[in-house]
Amino acid sequence: MNKKLIEYTIDGKIYEGYFVSHDDKELRPTVLISHAWSGISDFEKQKAEDIAALGYNAFAIDMYGKGIRGTTVEENQKLMSILTNDRALLRTRIKAGLAATKTLQGVDSSKIAAIGFCFGGLCVLDLARSGVPIKGVASFHGFFNAPENLPNELIKAKVIAFHGYDDPMVPPEEINQLGKEMNDAGVDWQIQAYGLTYHAFTNPAAQNPTAGAVFSETANKRSWQTLVNFLEELFYNHRSYIT
């Protein structure tokens, strides 16, 4: 596999993503990865490598700007809030990340999906909400709230959300709200909620019960296997519902 940092620009500002691809010249389905609240980290880079091991390309995009990363809870919250408080700006950046993905060598631009973790889960849901023609999006312990004061575009992507039922940041009523939003929009959607599971359940570094962020080996394995099935359905029309 080839692993390299890729720079791209948004409104004259440099952003830096992490691209994992293959040695051959074959055009491959590609998965865009949107990072959690601290910015691109080893976690997202490893996910890109895990996706590439399935035979796809993977590009972990940058929502903050080259070198801009949070190192404390306060810094992470500040960086994320800039975009969660301005969903039009968030939409601009996530769509620019998709545009950058399509320019990369070996990417089959007709077969792109997006996944995101925590804040990144919100980002990929907003990417779907923007109406871009991608195959599907998957949110892992992401935020669900729809943006206000933005036009309701026709959602073309299939949507799946993996959620810890005991996530204090996204209570059960918001699961129903997302389901209703997707139903009303006529979307092919799924939500998988895992019992006795909290926020950040895919991240082994999440060990903070007080904050409601706890890794779950079981939910992590189950959600990943379902993602594998979901990507096969999106890219190759292999319908598998085994979880």
Side-chain angles (χ1 to χ4, degrees):
M1 290 188 293
N2 299 314
K3 309 171 188 178
K4 56 185 175 181
L5 297 172
I6 300 288
E7 291 186 357
Y8 60 100
T9 60
I10 307 173
D11 295 330
K13 181 179 176 181
I14 298 175
Y15 293 73
E16 186 176 67
Y18 181 70
F19 185 47
V20 186
S21 59
H22 297 264
D23 293 326
D24 56 53
K25 296 182 179 180
E26 177 185 355
L27 292 179
R28 293 175 183 260
T30 300
V31 178
L32 176 158
I33 301 171
S34 188
H35 57 71
W37 68 340
S38 63
I40 294 178
S41 68
D42 289 343
F43 176 84
E44 288 81 16
K45 292 178 180 179
Q46 183 60 56
K47 293 299 181 185
E49 293 172 16
D50 293 342
I51 290 288
L54 300 174
Y56 310 124
N57 298 321
F59 186 46
I61 66 164
D62 180 7
M63 292 292 290
Y64 293 158
K66 182 178 180 179
I68 301 175
R69 306 289 181 263
T71 58
T72 66
V73 170
E74 292 75 18
E75 289 175 356
N76 296 344
Q77 185 65 50
K78 182 178 180 180
L79 287 170
M80 181 178 70
S81 294
I82 292 171
L83 297 177
T84 56
N85 291 334
D86 187 346
R87 299 287 281 277
L89 179 60
L90 188 158
R91 180 177 287 190
T92 294
R93 291 193 186 175
I94 190 72
K95 289 177 68 177
L98 175 62
T101 303
K102 291 180 178 181
T103 69
L104 299 174
Q105 185 174 1
V107 171
D108 182 345
S109 61
S110 70
K111 292 184 177 181
I112 295 179
I115 69 173
F117 299 84
C118 304
F119 163 66
L122 176 68
C123 292
V124 298
L125 288 175
D126 274 12
L127 182 63
R129 289 168 173 138
S130 76
V132 295
I134 61 173
K135 292 293 187 180
V137 305
S139 167
F140 290 82
H141 41 84
F143 305 113
F144 291 163
N145 56 302
E148 299 177 357
N149 304 318
L150 285 177
N152 293 322
E153 307 292 351
L154 177 65
I155 297 176
K156 302 177 181 69
K158 294 183 179 181
V159 173
I160 189 167
F162 304 104
H163 183 66
Y165 190 80
D166 298 287
D167 186 338
M169 304 175 197
V170 183
E173 55 267 26
E174 295 192 20
I175 300 175
N176 291 332
Q177 290 171 5
L178 179 64
K180 184 178 186 304
E181 177 195 353
M182 295 295 113
N183 245 22
D184 290 347
V187 177
D188 182 337
W189 66 273
Q190 308 170 60
I191 299 175
Q192 295 203 2
Y194 302 105
L196 304 176
T197 303
Y198 299 87
H199 189 69
F201 61 80
T202 65
N203 190 343
Q207 301 292 341
N208 191 344
T210 301
V214 182
F215 173 67
S216 168
E217 183 175 359
T218 299
N220 182 46
K221 287 181 177 178
R222 287 175 174 171
S223 59
W224 184 259
Q225 183 58 57
T226 304
L227 175 70
V228 171
N229 298 341
F230 184 62
L231 294 176
E232 289 179 354
E233 178 182 329
L234 296 181
F235 296 144
Y236 300 116
N237 295 316
H238 293 171
R239 291 191 170 271
S240 175
Y241 302 103
I242 299 172
T243 61

